[in-house]
C-alpha cells in the first residue's frame, strides 16, 4: 500500500512539472503570436489551454483521492494540499497566456500595442518565459536557489509593469482608447503571470522548509 501511495505522490509531482512546462510553452507561443500577428499560432494557444485545464482537473481529482484513501500525514499531507493550490496557479498562468493570444487574434491584422511599448512587453514576456521554465526545475529539484531567482525575475516584471502605466499616464501618450485598454490589459496579463509563478514558488518553499511566509516577506534562502 505504501508503494502505491508513493507512486501516486510521484505522479502528482510529475504532473505539476509537466503543467509548468506547458504554461511556459503557451506563453512563448502567445508572445510570438502577439508580435507577429500569427492568428493560427494564437488559436493553437487558445485551444491548448483546454488541455492545461484538463490536466489541472485530473491532478486535483488524483490528489483528492489520495487524501480520501491514504490518509497522508506531515510532509506528505503538505505535498497533497500544496499540489491542489499549485495546480490552480499553473492553470491560471495558462489562462493568462491564452488572454494574450486572444488579443493578438482580436486585433488581427493590426498590432495590439504601439511600437513604443513593445520592447517593454518583450522584456516582460522574456522574464515570464524564463520564470515558467525555472518553475519546472524548482518543482523537480526543490532547489531554493531557483526560488530566489524566480522572485527576482518577478520583481523586474513588476518594475516593467509600473513603467507601462507611467507611459500611459504621461502627457506624451496619444494612443486611442482602444489601444490604451489593450496595452493596459497586456501589461496586466504579463504581470499576473509572474505573480502566479511566485505563488507556486512560495508553496514549494513551504514544502521544503515546513514554514509559510506571507506574501510581503522575502523567502528564506541559505
Amino acid at each position: 500500500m505504501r508503494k502505491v501511495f508513493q507512486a501516486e505522490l510521484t505522479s502528482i509531482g510529475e504532473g505539476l512539472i509537466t503543467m509548468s512546462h506547458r504554461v511556459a510553452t503557451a506563453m512563448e507561443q502567445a508572445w510570438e503570436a502577439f508580435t507577429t500577428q500569427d492568428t493560427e499560432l494564437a488559436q493553437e494557444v487558445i485551444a491548448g489551454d483546454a488541455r492545461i485545464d484538463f490536466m489541472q482537473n485530473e491532478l486535483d481529482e488524483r490528489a483528492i483521492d489520495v487524501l480520501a484513501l491514504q490518509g497522508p500525514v506531515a510532509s506528505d499531507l503538505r505535498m497533497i494540499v500544496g499540489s491542489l493550490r499549485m495546480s490552480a496557479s499553473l492553470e491560471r498562468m495558462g489562462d493568462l497566456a491564452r488572454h494574450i493570444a486572444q488579443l493578438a487574434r482580436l486585433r488581427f491584422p493590426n498590432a495590439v500595442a504601439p511600437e513604443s511599448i513593445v520592447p517593454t512587453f518583450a522584456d516582460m514576456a522574456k522574464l515570464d518565459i524564463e520564470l515558467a521554465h525555472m518553475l519546472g526545475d524548482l518543482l523537480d529539484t526543490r532547489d531554493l536557489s531557483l526560488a530566489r531567482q524566480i522572485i527576482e525575475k518577478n520583481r523586474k516584471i513588476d518594475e516593467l509593469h509600473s513603467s507601462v502605466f507611467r507611459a500611459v499616464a504621461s502627457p506624451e501618450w496619444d494612443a486611442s482608447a482602444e489601444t490604451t485598454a489593450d496595452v493596459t490589459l497586456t501589461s496586466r496579463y504579463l504581470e499576473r503571470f509572474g505573480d502566479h509563478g511566485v505563488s507556486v514558488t512560495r508553496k514549494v518553499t513551504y514544502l521544503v522548509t515546513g514554514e509559510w511566509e506571507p506574501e510581503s516577506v522575502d523567502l528564506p534562502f541559505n
Side-chain angles (χ1 to χ4, degrees), residues 44-121:
E44 185 176 333
V45 175
I46 294 164
D49 185 54
R51 292 191 289 272
I52 294 173
D53 293 347
F54 176 81
M55 195 166 192
Q56 183 209 3
N57 292 333
E58 186 179 48
L59 282 173
D60 288 355
E61 288 175 5
R62 194 180 306 162
I64 291 168
D65 286 344
V66 171
L67 280 173
L69 301 175
Q70 302 292 344
V73 296
S75 61
D76 290 338
L77 181 59
R78 290 201 300 269
M79 169 61 190
I80 297 300
V81 174
S83 72
L84 291 167
R85 300 177 69 181
M86 286 188 280
S87 68
S89 290
L90 290 167
E91 186 274 336
R92 184 57 184 151
M93 291 169 78
D95 287 346
L96 292 162
R98 186 193 76 221
H99 291 337
I100 290 172
Q102 287 172 325
L103 276 176
R105 187 181 65 176
L106 176 66
R107 299 306 177 202
F108 178 82
N110 299 316
V112 177
E115 290 184 7
S116 62
I117 211 77
V118 169
T120 301
F121 285 160

Side-chain angles (χ1 to χ4, degrees), residues 137-152:
D137 294 336
L138 176 63
L139 287 162
D140 186 24
T141 66
R142 307 289 178 87
D143 179 357
L144 293 188
S145 67
L146 291 171
R148 183 176 185 176
Q149 294 176 56
I150 290 169
I151 295 289
E152 182 57 30

Side-chain angles (χ1 to χ4, degrees), residues 3-54:
K3 288 183 179 180
V4 173
F5 175 54
Q6 289 300 325
E8 286 290 344
L9 288 181
T10 299
S11 179
I12 290 169
E14 290 172 348
L16 291 170
I17 294 168
T18 301
M19 278 190 76
S20 70
H21 290 317
R22 287 191 177 182
V23 300
T25 298
M27 181 55 79
E28 287 175 340
Q29 294 178 333
W31 178 245
E32 183 178 348
F34 186 96
T35 55
T36 62
Q37 294 84 54
D38 186 336
T39 56
E40 290 186 6
L41 185 58
Q43 186 57 44
E44 185 176 333
V45 175
I46 294 164
D49 185 54
R51 292 191 289 272
I52 294 173
D53 293 347
F54 176 81

